[in-house]
């Protein structure tokens, strides 16, 4: 039973939604036995679970299989709802004219451009230092194309990749100005600037997942680690930040768990199930 009493206690939780990178999986992208077992305990308690991620469907379907998740999953920050068998039910994509405009704005020295469309990941080169880890995350290898030859139709996500934090902040501001409110633009990692459709954000994504699962938002718990998780923190009944999350993300959450390399998702699940989670308190 996870219905707790008291002003600071969490409400009944009927759906648990986890971010993936920096949250569900460890730094090396591995899914631990402890986390798999914790999802099993959710199931045994009658609590539904699912995932929402900036990853494409190919990057989350194997995780859903390992976690025995039967319900819908949110890929591309919730812009694409997909089931474990690969069936896609809802898709939000960027307008072609906006894709062309943003590619022009974001293409500059020091920024690599990745583009996801039609189940493929397009990249100018495969020698970016983040490419090997993205192969693990996305579940596909990059298709190499010059930026001028990348598709502009049916685009799910554009990513600006750079380890130059100041440059990425500058590109983020320029991209937002160019988009004029027609896209969701946020960092999914310190070195990734993600551009998706307006409704392809984790706030709308969590809302859609809760609706399909038949669970009101105030009975949903979410967990994440980055700025692109903040929209779902604002929507869900309970929000949990990872231990290694930036201070601004922790401040926006109801509670803070251990880091992803310390199985923080499993810790959070057991606190929920055991009645040890408090809102806006000292966390775990």
């Amino acid at each position: 039973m996870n219905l707790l009493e008291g002003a600071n206690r969490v409400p009944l939780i009927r759906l648990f939604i986890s971010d993936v990178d920096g949250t569900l999986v460890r730094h090396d992208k591995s899914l631990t036995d402890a986390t798999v077992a914790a999802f099993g305990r959710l199931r045994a308690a009658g609590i539904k679970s699912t995932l929402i991620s900036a990853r494409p469907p190919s990057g989350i379907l194997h995780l859903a299989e390992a976690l025995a998740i039967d319900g819908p999953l949110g890929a591309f920050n919730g812009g694409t709802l997909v089931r474990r068998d690969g069936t896609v039910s809802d898709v939000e994509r960027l307008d072609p004219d906006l894709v062309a405009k943003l590619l022009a704005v974001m293409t500059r020295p020091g920024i690599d451009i990745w583009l996801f469309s039609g189940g493929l990941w397009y990249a100018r080169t495969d020698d970016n230092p983040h490419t090997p880890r993205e192969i693990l995350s996305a579940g596909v290898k990059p298709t190499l194309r010059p930026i001028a030859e990348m598709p502009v139709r049916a685009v799910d996500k554009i990513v600006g990749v750079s380890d130059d934090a100041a440059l990425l902040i500058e590109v983020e501001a320029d991209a937002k100005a160019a988009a004029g409110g027609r896209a969701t633009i946020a960092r999914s990692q310190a070195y990734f600037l993600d551009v998706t459709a307006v409704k392809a954000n984790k706030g709308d994504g969590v809302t859609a997942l809760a609706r399909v699962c038949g669970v009101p938002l105030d009975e949903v718990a979410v967990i994440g680690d980055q700025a692109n998780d903040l929209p779902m923190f604002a929507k869900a009944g309970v929000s949990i930040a990872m231990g290694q999350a930036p201070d601004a993300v922790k401040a926006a959450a109801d509670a803070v768990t251990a880091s992803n390399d310390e199985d923080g998702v499993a810790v959070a699940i057991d606190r929920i199930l055991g009645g040890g989670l408090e809102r806006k308190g000292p966390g775990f």
Side-chain angles (χ1 to χ4, degrees), residues 217-260:
L217 282 167
D218 61 1
E219 296 180 1
V220 175
V222 297
I223 185 166
D225 74 307
Q226 285 293 334
N228 69 331
D229 295 312
L230 295 179
M232 72 176 181
F233 281 15
K235 294 281 188 178
V238 175
S239 57
I240 305 165
M242 300 303 292
Q244 84 287 354
D247 288 343
V249 175
K250 291 179 182 178
D254 291 318
V256 179
T257 185
S259 73
N260 61 324

Side-chain angles (χ1 to χ4, degrees), residues 59-77:
I60 58 177
L61 292 176
H62 69 287
L63 297 172
E65 186 72 27
L67 296 169
I69 294 172
D70 291 322
L73 306 151
F76 295 123
N77 289 332

